[in-house]
Amino acid sequence: MKKAHSLLIALAFISFPALSDIQLAFGVYTSDKATAMVKQFRPVLNALEAKMTAKLKEPVQIRMQISKDYQQGLSNLVEGRVDFSRFGPSSYILAKQNNPDIKILAVESNNGGKTFNGVICVHNDSHIHSATDLAGKSFAFGDENSTIGRYLSQSYLADHNITASTLDSYSYLGRHDKVGAAVGSEQYDAGALKESTFNKLVNKGAPLRAIARFENVTKPWIASSTLEPKIAVSLKESLLELADPKALKALKKNGFLPGNDSDYERIRLAMADNRFFSESGD
């Protein structure tokens, strides 16, 4: 009996993990290599864990869930398999169509604004100097759900009378870095990717040259419809207050700004723009 009593006393002083810890899942899709995405987002999630723990007075843990493609990432948020996500604008719009109860927590700040650029690039040695030179050429797009990699670039091409029928061929390669690599190795005459990936590839020596830039809206961070309101408020406040230099440097953004659905109206228009698939671009 004495041994049993002593064991109970000893157990009373052992620290076990709190069952009330708040466990959250953050979802992203592979717009770049998975290792690059962990490096980009983990510092932000660490900073959010610390801020939310202080606000909620409960330990908060955020695990990262990287989906293999845009579609899986979208369905994970729509169906509540992750608690919050960071999407491109077009993926947000598609998710909102599938589940109107998802909500924007905040949008990324790019030098205090809500816009950044997409790029159409060619090989350094190419004789292509503008979008109008692309007739009869091959083109690499990103993912079929990508804002820059598809919708905005196709609208830009249509503005310059380049359509699916005037190109020699085109393909969807998925990630932005794959587009840059394919153009750099001359598998395709031109391609569309985000400016940050273009700059990173050029800095590493990729033989790429930009022939056009077009404006996109910065990415929203979105709460699932199943996220508890108290936690959503804490997460929103933590994003808007985030000033950790290491985290922001990894994200390559200046912080977060309040955002709402109307910020993405121009993307809705681009997604509804079917001129690229018309015969003449009209």
Side-chain angles (χ1 to χ4, degrees):
M1 287 294 293
K2 282 186 178 180
K3 284 185 179 179
H5 183 68
S6 298
L7 180 60
L8 288 172
I9 292 173
L11 287 171
F13 287 94
I14 295 175
S15 176
F16 291 99
L19 296 177
S20 61
D21 286 8
I22 298 168
Q23 308 279 340
L24 300 177
F26 167 67
V28 286
Y29 42 69
T30 50
S31 58
D32 283 308
K33 289 185 292 187
T35 51
M37 300 196 77
V38 171
K39 187 176 179 181
Q40 181 180 16
F41 290 107
R42 193 64 249 177
V44 178
L45 300 182
N46 291 345
L48 290 175
E49 284 176 341
K51 275 189 167 291
M52 293 180 70
T53 294
K55 286 177 181 293
L56 296 169
K57 295 179 172 51
E58 289 182 69
V60 175
Q61 293 185 346
I62 304 173
R63 67 179 174 85
M64 190 170 173
Q65 185 166 318
I66 304 174
S67 301
K68 64 180 180 180
D69 55 33
Y70 283 65
Q71 191 56 49
Q72 186 184 75
L74 192 149
S75 64
N76 281 345
L77 181 72
V78 166
E79 296 168 19
R81 288 192 291 271
V82 296
D83 298 293
F84 68 113
S85 290
R86 184 251 205 179
F87 278 177
S90 61
S91 293
Y92 159 69
I93 290 166
L94 292 171
K96 187 76 169 173
Q97 289 172 356
N98 283 287
N99 185 344
D101 294 327
I102 65 170
K103 291 182 172 63
I104 292 175
L105 295 161
V107 301
E108 293 174 0
S109 171
N110 185 35
N111 295 319
K114 295 181 181 180
T115 61
F116 69 107
N117 288 332
V119 166
I120 292 177
C121 69
V122 297
H123 191 278
N124 272 341
D125 298 332
S126 173
H127 296 296
I128 299 168
H129 295 283
S130 69
T132 54
D133 297 333
L134 290 168
K137 306 299 183 183
S138 59
F139 199 96
F141 294 105
D143 190 276
E144 288 189 68
N145 290 326
S146 173
T147 312
I148 284 173
R150 178 188 175 181
Y151 295 111
L152 290 177
S153 54
Q154 288 180 355
S155 284
Y156 183 90
L157 293 177
D159 286 343
H160 294 80
N161 296 313
I162 300 297
T163 65
S165 61
T166 58
L167 290 172
D168 174 64
S169 63
Y170 67 92
S171 301
Y172 296 99
L173 304 186
R175 302 193 320 243
H176 295 282
D177 58 323
K178 287 186 175 182
V179 170
V183 176
S185 60
E186 299 184 277
Q187 296 175 54
Y188 291 84
D189 294 309
L193 68 167
K194 61 184 178 182
E195 190 173 42
S196 60
T197 301
F198 169 80
N199 289 338
K200 183 166 67 175
L201 291 170
V202 169
N203 289 337
K204 288 182 175 179
L208 299 173
R209 171 168 52 84
I211 62 166
R213 286 177 169 82
F214 49 89
E215 199 172 79
N216 188 16
V217 187
T218 58
K219 291 177 170 59
W221 289 51
I222 312 148
S224 79
S225 58
T226 58
L227 187 61
E228 186 181 336
K230 178 182 76 170
I231 295 174
V233 168
S234 171
L235 179 54
K236 181 175 185 174
E237 290 174 350
S238 297
L239 282 166
L240 292 173
E241 294 168 8
L242 190 66
D244 182 280
K246 182 180 176 182
L248 295 177
K249 183 179 179 181
L251 191 62
K252 295 184 174 64
K253 293 291 178 286
N254 309 109
F256 291 86
L257 299 168
N260 56 64
D261 186 74
S262 64
D263 291 329
Y264 297 93
E265 191 57 35
R266 74 172 80 173
I267 310 303
R268 282 193 177 89
L269 294 174
M271 291 173 71
D273 181 1
N274 291 317
R275 291 175 300 151
F276 178 76
F277 298 103
S278 72
E279 288 300 313
S280 64
D282 296 332

